[in-house]
Amino acid sequence: MSHIHKLKRRIVLTDLKATEVQKIIKQNNLDGLDEFLILTNYVNHEDMPDLYTQAFAFLYPSIRESFGLPIIEAMSCGTPVITSNSSCMPEIAKDAARFVDPFDPASIAKGIEEMEFNDHIRLQFIEKGLMRSKDFSWSASTK
């Protein structure tokens, strides 16, 4: 993968087995990527805000969702979101997330690079995300 040499940050993968990750690395000739990965077991819901707030960005290239709660949670923690241009994600995030094609690794890489190398865009997504997350408060939901 030509983009590995550009990585500056570690990537935290939650709830994935090391054997699955190694299989993906091998199948896609991503030698060297594993040194940038931090694998965790399942993360309890009460621990997620700490993970979100420490993250540079939240990557969520899901191909199907019923609602997309994790992107709202990340936004409410001030973490910029990179998510799928499919399913409910565009409806939930509106203009507050960077959308990528979840089936196109180059699209995902471009979204990550944009957050990494363009502080202006990253800060815009943080601000828009904080505003968008307010639309999903319990009081807003009951109205």
Side-chain angles (χ1 to χ4, degrees), residues 29-47:
N29 297 318
L30 300 173
D31 296 329
L33 180 64
D34 51 345
E35 71 184 76
F36 293 96
L37 301 178
I38 299 170
L39 303 179
T40 70
N41 293 323
Y42 176 79
V43 178
N44 291 319
H45 188 39
E46 61 269 8
D47 296 329

Side-chain angles (χ1 to χ4, degrees), residues 106-120:
S107 174
I108 296 169
K110 186 176 179 183
I112 294 168
E113 287 177 349
E114 188 175 70
M115 291 292 175
E116 178 71 27
F117 299 113
N118 191 325
D119 288 336
H120 177 72

Side-chain angles (χ1 to χ4, degrees), residues 47-99:
D47 296 329
M48 288 303 296
D50 286 338
L51 202 54
Y52 289 133
T53 56
Q54 292 178 46
F56 178 78
F58 178 61
L59 176 62
Y60 197 67
S62 180
I63 56 174
R64 61 182 155 270
E65 280 295 317
S66 59
F67 185 72
L69 188 59
I71 63 177
I72 296 166
E73 291 173 337
M75 287 176 179
S76 70
C77 290
T79 305
V81 171
I82 304 164
T83 192
S84 302
N85 62 3
S86 62
S87 188
C88 67
M89 272 60 85
E91 181 182 351
I92 297 299
K94 300 228 181 223
D95 68 343
R98 170 63 162 86
F99 296 105

